[in-house]
Each structure stands twice: as structure tokens, then as C-alpha cells.
């Protein structure tokens, strides 16, 4: 029986297992299963790779970069991003890393802009990317390819970032605001990134990579100021389908 799975830690609320289990049932894929492999440390991957009939893995926090030494080659998507969230086990036993987060975000953002009547070809707005963790790498790679200029926002000042304390000075110049941090994820639904929400207008666009809850406090505060909002569910669905395509190719 072909097996697939997810490595990461913790995996208490796994989107991937539920998604693929429902997909297998919906599409009549009776001879496959999807398991969770909770790994506090990446060295546990060595044992996971011995799983009989294992064909592919998804990779989530905190292993998207730590997994790189365990791979034999990287697809162009993973090289572009510098992180891996999909591993395909080849017939010769080698392992290839991919990044489908890049595809999921780029496609979902393009579709959202189309729904809003915004042309990416003529879009000259800039983006703020909240958070500098592994999730932000796929987002900034996609923004670069879409020719959307961006600035990274972090709690700590660096040559590459601005801090949340500086946002009152900058936020009026940045239309698209993307939350790549876990702030606001269930069960911490009463939390939101530290933005000057009083300066938000209907001109702004809020994209939250968080999908649980469906409307985060970040999105709610934006909606109350009149701006369009989007959560991370569609990105997750797109990246999952891309992972399946990679495993079956």
C-alpha cells in the first residue's frame, strides 16, 4: 500500500492528514494512506524513511530547512525558496525536495487579485511581510516573481527588516499586508499582529496564512476598517494538490 505522511512538531492540528484522507475517500483512492510522523528533532527522519512503501512526505514547522541535508537533490522551487515542504522518494531510493508553498501562495494570491478586479500586471503596490520564519521564504519568493516589492517586519531590527514599532511611519505606503507569523492561530484566537490598525483603510489588503480560525482577529480588525481579507485555507489546498501531483509524477 503506497504511504504518504507529514513530518513536523507539533502535529496536534494537522490539515494535511484530514485533507488527504478525505481526498482518498472522495476520489476512490483505496490503496493509499496518509500518516503523521511527529518529530521533535529532524534526526528522527532516518527512521521514518524506513517506513515500508513510503512514497512521499510533507514537511512542516520546524523542519522545512533542517531537512535539506537529508535530501539528494532539490527541485527549482525548493532552490528558489531555500526551504522544502514536499519530499518525493524516487524509485532508486534517492530523495528530491520541492516547495509547493510557493505555488500555493502565488496561485491563491493571483486568484484573489483577479476576484478583486486588481491586475497583477499593472499592480504597483508594495507588501509588508509579517514574520521572518520559514513560512515567509515561500511568500517572498512568490512576491519577487510577481514583481511586488516587499519589506519584512520582525520583532528585532536588522538590515533586512523593520520592526512593528516602526509601522506607524510606514504602513500607509504598503497596500498588501501578509501575516506569515503564527499569531492568531487557534487556540490563541484573541491575538493579532501588532499593527497600527487605526491607520488601516479600505485601500489595504490583508492576507493571513493562518486558516484556523477561518477569520482571525487580524482579518476581523482589517474587515472592520473596510479592507479586503483572505485566509490561508486556499493556499493550503493548492499546495496539497501540488504535492500529490509531485508524488504521482
Amino acid at each position: 500500500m503506497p504511504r504518504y505522511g507529514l513530518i513536523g512538531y507539533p502535529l496536534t492540528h494537522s490539515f494535511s492528514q484530514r485533507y488527504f484522507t478525505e481526498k482518498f475517500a472522495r476520489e476512490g483512492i483505496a490503496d493509499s494512506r496518509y500518516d503523521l510522523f511527529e518529530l521533535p528533532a529532524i534526526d528522527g527522519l532516518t527512521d521514518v524513511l524506513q517506513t515500508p512503501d513510503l512514497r512521499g512526505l510533507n514537511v512542516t514547522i520546524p523542519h522545512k530547512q533542517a531537512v535539506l541535508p537529508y535530501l539528494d537533490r532539490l527541485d527549482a522551487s525548493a532552490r528558489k525558496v531555500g526551504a522544502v515542504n514536499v519530499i518525493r522518494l524516487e524509485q532508486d531510493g534517492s530523495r528530491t525536495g520541492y516547495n509547493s508553498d510557493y505555488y500555493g501562495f502565488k496561485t491563491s494570491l493571483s486568484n484573489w487579485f483577479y476576484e478583486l478586479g486588481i491586475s497583477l500586471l499593472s499592480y504597483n503596490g508594495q507588501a509588508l511581510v509579517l514574520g521572518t520564519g520559514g513560512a515567509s521564504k515561500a511568500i517572498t519568493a512568490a512576491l519577487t516573481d510577481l514583481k511586488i516589492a516587499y519589506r519584512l517586519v520582525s520583532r528585532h531590527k536588522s538590515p533586512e527588516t523593520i520592526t512593528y514599532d516602526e509601522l506607524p511611519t510606514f504602513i500607509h505606503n504598503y497596500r498588501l499586508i501578509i501575516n506569515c507569523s503564527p499569531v492568531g492561530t487557534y487556540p490563541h484566537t484573541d491575538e493579532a499582529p501588532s499593527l497600527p490598525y487605526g491607520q488601516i483603510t479600505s485601500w489595504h489588503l490583508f492576507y493571513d496564512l493562518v486558516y484556523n480560525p477561518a477569520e482571525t482577529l487580524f482579518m476581523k480588525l482589517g474587515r472592520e476598517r473596510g479592507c479586503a481579507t483572505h485566509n490561508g485555507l486556499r493556499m493550503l489546498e493548492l499546495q496539497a494538490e501540488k504535492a500529490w501531483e509531485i508524488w504521482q509524477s
Side-chain angles (χ1 to χ4, degrees):
M1 174 185 288
R3 294 182 66 179
Y4 307 89
L6 172 69
I7 63 167
Y9 186 84
L11 299 179
T12 310
H13 303 285
S14 168
F15 163 87
S16 297
Q17 186 178 47
R18 183 177 70 255
Y19 184 86
F20 281 107
T21 299
E22 292 175 355
K23 175 184 174 66
F24 295 161
R26 183 177 61 251
E27 299 181 12
I29 304 171
D31 62 341
S32 296
R33 60 179 288 180
Y34 191 100
D35 298 305
L36 298 180
F37 300 100
E38 199 164 57
L39 299 182
I42 190 60
D43 57 9
L45 178 59
T46 302
D47 291 334
V48 172
L49 291 171
Q50 304 307 311
T51 302
D53 300 318
L54 188 66
R55 303 288 178 81
L57 291 168
N58 288 123
V59 184
T60 190
I61 296 170
H63 301 320
K64 292 186 179 184
Q65 292 173 276
V67 76
L68 296 177
Y70 291 81
L71 306 176
D72 297 290
R73 68 187 68 82
L74 298 178
D75 174 74
S77 61
R79 291 197 300 270
K80 183 190 296 284
V81 173
V84 162
N85 77 311
V86 180
I87 300 171
R88 185 174 73 185
L89 279 68
E90 311 290 356
Q91 291 186 350
D92 64 2
S94 64
R95 300 177 286 272
T96 306
Y98 298 77
N99 192 293
S100 67
D101 286 336
Y102 164 87
Y103 168 83
F105 174 74
K106 184 179 178 183
T107 303
S108 65
L109 183 68
S110 300
N111 292 343
W112 186 41
F113 271 34
Y114 178 80
E115 292 167 5
L116 294 173
I118 300 172
S119 170
L120 275 170
L121 294 176
S122 59
Y123 180 75
N124 60 0
Q126 300 182 80
L128 287 173
V129 177
L130 312 180
T132 57
S136 69
K137 294 182 178 299
I139 275 56
T140 55
L143 291 173
T144 298
D145 284 357
L146 291 170
K147 297 182 170 53
I148 297 177
Y150 65 87
R151 293 193 78 169
L152 292 166
V153 184
S154 173
R155 289 171 295 173
H156 308 290
K157 180 72 172 177
S158 78
E160 293 78 32
T161 65
I162 59 174
T163 66
Y164 288 91
D165 291 339
E166 295 177 273
L167 287 180
T169 304
F170 292 102
I171 203 162
H172 63 281
N173 292 325
Y174 293 85
R175 186 177 188 186
L176 177 60
I177 303 176
I178 306 163
N179 179 33
C180 295
S181 78
V183 175
T185 304
Y186 178 85
H188 304 291
T189 56
D190 58 345
E191 299 177 2
S194 181
L195 305 183
Y197 290 97
Q199 294 180 239
I200 298 301
T201 70
S202 59
W203 175 75
H204 286 96
L205 306 168
F206 275 19
Y207 190 116
D208 201 334
L209 266 63
V210 174
Y211 71 95
N212 183 15
E215 183 180 60
T216 60
L217 181 57
F218 167 71
M219 294 169 62
K220 181 176 183 290
L221 292 171
R223 178 174 54 79
E224 289 175 349
R225 302 292 300 179
C227 73
T229 63
H230 194 289
N231 72 16
L233 181 59
R234 187 58 184 148
M235 172 184 166
L236 275 175
E237 293 171 342
L238 287 164
Q239 69 82 21
E241 287 300 323
K242 188 66 173 178
W244 182 251
E245 178 186 315
I246 289 167
W247 294 331
Q248 302 309 307
S249 63

